[in-house]
Amino acid sequence: MNNSTTVKNRICFLDELRGLAVIAMVLYHILYSMSFIFALEFSYPAMRAVIPYEPVIPITFISICGICCSFSKNNLKRGVILLGISLGITLVTCIIMPEQAILFGILHFLSIALIIYSLLQKPISHIPPFAGLCICLALFIICFNIPKGYIGFEPFYCIQLPKQLYQLYPLSFIGFPSSDFASSDYFPIFPYIFLFFGGAFAGRILKLKGVPRWMYKKLCPPLDFIGRHALIIYIVHQPVIIGVLYMCHSVFNIF
């Protein structure tokens, strides 16, 4: 959820893709809140219909953020700032709605990924970008089920990971959630770090081959605007959704 490059040479196409993801995220969270917070039965069919497609939203955010790293010169600073915002979100959600607390959500992950990338940027730059992209995407697929306790996909070959890894609370943030860990938004380091770095290698490929001129143009200004303000929208959209639904449901009895 970060800027693509400098304002002057901004890749508007990435902002517009991010804008689409933001709209999808807001619509998903409206259905989620209606179904699981306010228990509105008429929203259940729509919620069940969109659940299989929900992973596309964070995958888009993480990939774009990784791509943008290749065009930014202040990834460490952005990562530290985003980490501070993430910790603020954790504090607020723990106080206001502890049952829906966000302990390690997508912003937490992106902040750590930005910091890791900034520290490893020089050695990573020696890896051929196309090879790095392929390796990262393969590792993301293979390691996708690490939070569930194994590597691989059923019914194909799977490697069960030691149960001891899932008994230590701090390892939950890495990708080994313990039984007492709960976060309403959860994006651990593994497997998503591979998706992030895959995006970073894709960004290097774009830089080497040259970004097409049309990507710098605003094809859809409203989407561009939404994409540029994705972080602000992410922070405020859920409280706004819950507030509006509460007014409609409990005050005005609209549904």
Side-chain angles (χ1 to χ4, degrees):
M1 296 184 185
N2 298 281
N3 294 341
S4 306
T5 178
T6 63
V7 174
K8 184 177 180 180
N9 298 313
R10 195 179 185 97
I11 304 175
C12 295
F13 180 69
L14 293 179
D15 286 324
E16 291 167 350
L17 282 180
R18 192 187 294 112
L20 280 174
V22 168
I23 293 173
M25 173 190 70
V26 171
L27 293 175
Y28 177 82
H29 284 160
I30 290 174
L31 284 174
Y32 181 92
S33 298
M34 293 172 71
S35 300
F36 299 111
I37 296 179
F38 293 91
L40 302 176
E41 293 185 5
F42 69 85
S43 66
Y44 293 161
M47 187 67 206
R48 286 194 294 268
V50 301
I51 283 178
Y53 306 100
E54 184 274 336
V56 176
I57 301 172
I59 285 175
T60 301
F61 281 133
I62 294 170
S63 299
I64 291 176
C65 187
I67 292 172
C68 294
C69 285
S70 298
F71 296 89
S72 177
K73 297 181 180 179
N74 58 349
N75 290 307
L76 180 59
K77 178 181 178 181
R78 288 161 53 210
V80 171
I81 293 174
L82 194 58
L83 180 59
I85 295 173
S86 304
L87 295 177
I89 291 175
T90 296
L91 179 62
V92 170
T93 55
C94 285
I95 295 174
I96 296 179
M97 45 182 188
E99 70 283 354
Q100 296 287 331
I102 300 175
L103 301 183
F104 203 83
I106 191 168
L107 290 188
H108 298 75
F109 165 77
L110 289 177
S111 65
I112 299 299
L114 283 166
I115 294 172
I116 293 175
Y117 178 82
S118 66
L119 298 176
L120 299 179
Q121 188 169 359
K122 285 188 177 181
I124 288 175
S125 65
H126 298 294
I127 300 175
F130 184 75
L133 173 60
C134 293
I135 292 171
C136 284
L137 292 182
L139 288 173
F140 175 66
I141 294 172
I142 293 170
C143 298
F144 188 78
N145 288 310
I146 282 180
K148 296 180 180 179
Y150 61 94
I151 295 176
F153 279 89
E154 296 179 350
F156 302 102
Y157 182 72
C158 297
I159 300 175
Q160 295 292 329
L161 296 174
K163 293 182 179 180
Q164 291 82 354
L165 291 173
Y166 300 85
Q167 295 175 356
L168 299 175
Y169 189 90
L171 294 184
S172 301
F173 305 106
I174 298 177
F176 310 106
S178 60
S179 59
D180 57 343
F181 176 83
S183 179
S184 63
D185 189 31
Y186 180 51
F187 288 88
I189 301 300
F190 295 111
Y192 293 100
I193 193 66
F194 298 120
L195 180 62
F196 180 90
F197 274 83
F201 283 116
R204 283 182 55 199
I205 293 173
L206 273 178
K207 288 185 69 174
L208 290 173
K209 292 193 173 182
V211 179
R213 290 186 178 182
W214 64 266
M215 286 190 175
Y216 289 106
K217 298 178 181 180
K218 292 183 181 180
L219 303 178
C220 182
L223 285 180
D224 178 82
F225 177 84
I226 294 171
R228 286 172 182 251
H229 298 87
L231 179 58
I232 296 175
I233 295 173
Y234 179 88
I235 293 172
V236 305
H237 83 284
Q238 192 70 341
V240 170
I241 290 172
I242 293 175
V244 171
L245 289 176
Y246 175 79
M247 294 294 289
C248 293
H249 180 61
S250 302
V251 178
F252 299 111
N253 295 317
I254 295 176
F255 43 71

